[in-house]
Amino acid sequence: MPSVFAYQSSEVDWCEPNFQYSQLVAEFYNTFSNVTFFIFGPLMTFLMRPYIQQRSRYLYVLFVLFTVTGLFSMYFHMTLSFLGQMLDEIAILWLLASGYSIWLPRCYFPAFLGQNRSRYSSLIIIISLVSTFLSFLRPTINAYALNAIGLHIIYIVVQEYKKTKNKELQHLIEVSTVIWALAFTSWISDRLLCSFWQWINFSYLHSIWHVLISFTFPYGMVILALVDSEYEMPNKTLKVRYWPRDTWPMGLPYVEMGDDHKSC
Ligand SMILES: CCCCCCCC/C=C\CCCCCCCC(=O)N[C@@H](CO)[C@H](O)/C=C/CCCCCCCCCCCCC
Ligand SMILES: [Ca+2]
Ligand SMILES: [Zn+2]
C-alpha cells in the first residue's frame, strides 16, 4: 500500500497528461490554474471586510477556506497523492458547510429546527464531521457528492431569484448560474469524456473548471450577502460595487455597507 504522500497514490487522475513538463509536477496546467484562488480569496476578504465585521466574523473562516482550497487543489494536482485529494475535498466540504451555516435563509431550515440558527449550525457541524470520516470510505465519489451540494446551492439561489424584485440581484444570479453551468460542464466532461479530449489533444477542461469555479466565489458571496440581508438585516442597505472600477464593463462584484435606513 503506497504512502498517502506518494505521487499518484490517489485513485483519481484527471485528463491532462502527467509529468509533461516536470517530474515534480504531475499535471502542470491543472496545478497552476488554481492561481485565481490566491487572487480572489484575499481580494474578496479585503473588499468585503466592512460587511464581514457587521454580519459575522465567522465569514473570515469561509474566505480563508476558499484560499486554502486553492492551495490544496494545487498540491493535489502537483502530486496526484491521496493526501492531496483528501485535503482538497475536505477543505471544500468545510468551505460549503461554513457558507451554509452562516447564510442559508432560515426558511430553508429543516422543520424540526424551527428558525434557530445556532441549533442549525450545530447540525451542520455534526453532518460535516460525519461526512469528513465518510469521505475516506469511497474517495472516488467525494467530488460528485460535493458537486451535488453545489447543485443544491444553485437551487436555493434560483428560488431566491424567483422571489426577489431586485434587478441587480437577478442579474448577478443569472451571470453566476451561467458561469457555474459552464464550470460544471467542464468538470464532468473532463471526468467522463477524457478519451475524446485526448484524441483532439485538448485535455485542459479541468483547468478551465478551476478558473470558472473560482469566479463563482465573488459572485456567490455577493448574491448570498444580498439574499441574507433581506432576511437578517432588513434595515441595512448593501451596495453592490465592482472592483477595480464600477464604471468598467467587467469587474469583480463585492458589497459595501450603505447608510442604515432610519425607521421612523
Ligand atoms: C447557502 C450556501 C452558501 C454556500 C456558499 C459557498 C460558495 C462557494 C463558492 C465557490 C466554491 C468553489 C470551490 C471550488 C473547489 C476548487 C478545488 C477543485 O477544483 N477541486 C477538484 C479537484 O481539484 C474537485 O474535483 C472538485 C470537487 C467539486 C467541488 C464542488 C464545489 C461546489 C461549488 C458550488 C458553487 C456554487 C456557487 C453559487 C453561486 C451563486
Ligand atoms: Ca492526468
Ligand atoms: Zn482540480
Side-chain angles (χ1 to χ4, degrees):
M1 166 99 168
S3 154
V4 296
F5 297 95
Y7 271 65
Q8 296 184 285
S9 56
S10 166
E11 289 179 72
V12 176
D13 191 336
W14 304 90
C15 202
E16 182 183 352
N18 297 339
F19 304 109
Q20 264 189 315
Y21 302 99
S22 160
Q23 286 310 307
L24 287 176
V25 180
E27 296 178 332
F28 183 85
Y29 292 101
N30 284 351
T31 296
F32 294 104
S33 56
N34 286 287
V35 70
T36 46
F37 286 80
F38 307 130
I39 297 168
F40 293 161
L43 180 60
M44 290 304 294
T45 307
F46 172 74
L47 294 171
M48 287 188 62
R49 71 196 187 291
Y51 167 76
I52 293 169
Q53 283 161 3
Q54 288 243 1
R55 177 65 179 81
S56 167
R57 292 177 193 271
Y58 288 117
L59 281 167
Y60 282 122
V61 173
L62 190 154
F63 284 72
V64 167
L65 276 173
F66 177 79
T67 309
V68 166
T69 296
L71 187 67
F72 288 160
S73 175
M74 186 172 254
Y75 173 64
F76 176 28
H77 288 289
M78 181 179 157
T79 64
L80 293 178
S81 64
F82 180 73
L83 176 67
Q85 177 191 349
M86 297 314 292
L87 286 173
D88 170 70
E89 292 168 348
I90 291 168
I92 298 167
L93 171 69
W94 286 92
L95 164 64
L96 300 179
S98 58
Y100 267 90
S101 67
I102 296 168
W103 268 331
L104 185 75
R106 298 169 197 264
C107 54
Y108 297 102
F109 286 8
F112 69 89
L113 286 176
Q115 304 270 311
N116 186 315
R117 189 173 291 277
S118 56
R119 284 171 59 193
Y120 165 72
S121 298
S122 304
L123 178 65
I124 291 292
I125 290 170
I126 292 166
I127 292 172
S128 302
L129 284 169
V130 171
S131 303
T132 301
F133 290 110
L134 290 177
S135 68
F136 288 86
L137 299 181
R138 292 285 303 277
T140 50
I141 66 171
N142 292 349
Y144 292 96
L146 289 168
N147 269 307
I149 298 172
L151 199 58
H152 181 250
I153 297 170
I154 295 295
Y155 167 77
I156 297 286
V157 161
V158 167
Q159 296 311 302
E160 293 305 313
Y161 178 91
K162 294 173 185 170
K163 288 183 197 171
T164 188
K165 292 183 174 43
N166 180 333
K167 293 296 179 203
E168 186 157 39
L169 174 57
Q170 286 183 332
H171 172 70
L172 287 164
I173 293 173
E174 289 160 0
V175 172
S176 60
T177 304
V178 168
I179 295 173
W180 173 84
L182 291 172
F184 180 69
T185 303
S186 303
W187 187 91
I188 204 78
S189 299
D190 184 281
R191 297 295 292 144
L192 304 181
L193 302 173
C194 182
S195 46
F196 168 75
W197 297 114
Q198 284 184 337
W199 179 58
I200 66 167
N201 200 26
F202 186 79
S203 46
Y204 306 107
L205 282 175
H206 192 75
S207 299
I208 294 170
W209 147 270
H210 284 155
V211 176
L212 289 175
I213 201 67
S214 68
F215 270 94
T216 68
F217 182 70
Y219 280 92
M221 296 305 96
V222 172
I223 288 165
L224 291 156
L226 291 173
V227 167
D228 172 79
S229 70
E230 290 183 0
Y231 292 102
E232 304 288 336
M233 306 193 294
N235 291 334
K236 292 199 187 287
T237 50
L238 295 188
K239 279 193 298 185
V240 178
R241 305 296 303 272
Y242 290 86
W243 185 87
R245 290 273 185 286
D246 287 336
T247 51
W248 286 21
M250 290 286 286
L252 277 187
Y254 66 98
V255 289
E256 265 187 359
M257 297 306 297
D259 304 327
D260 296 1
H261 275 313
K262 294 289 179 266
S263 49
C264 48

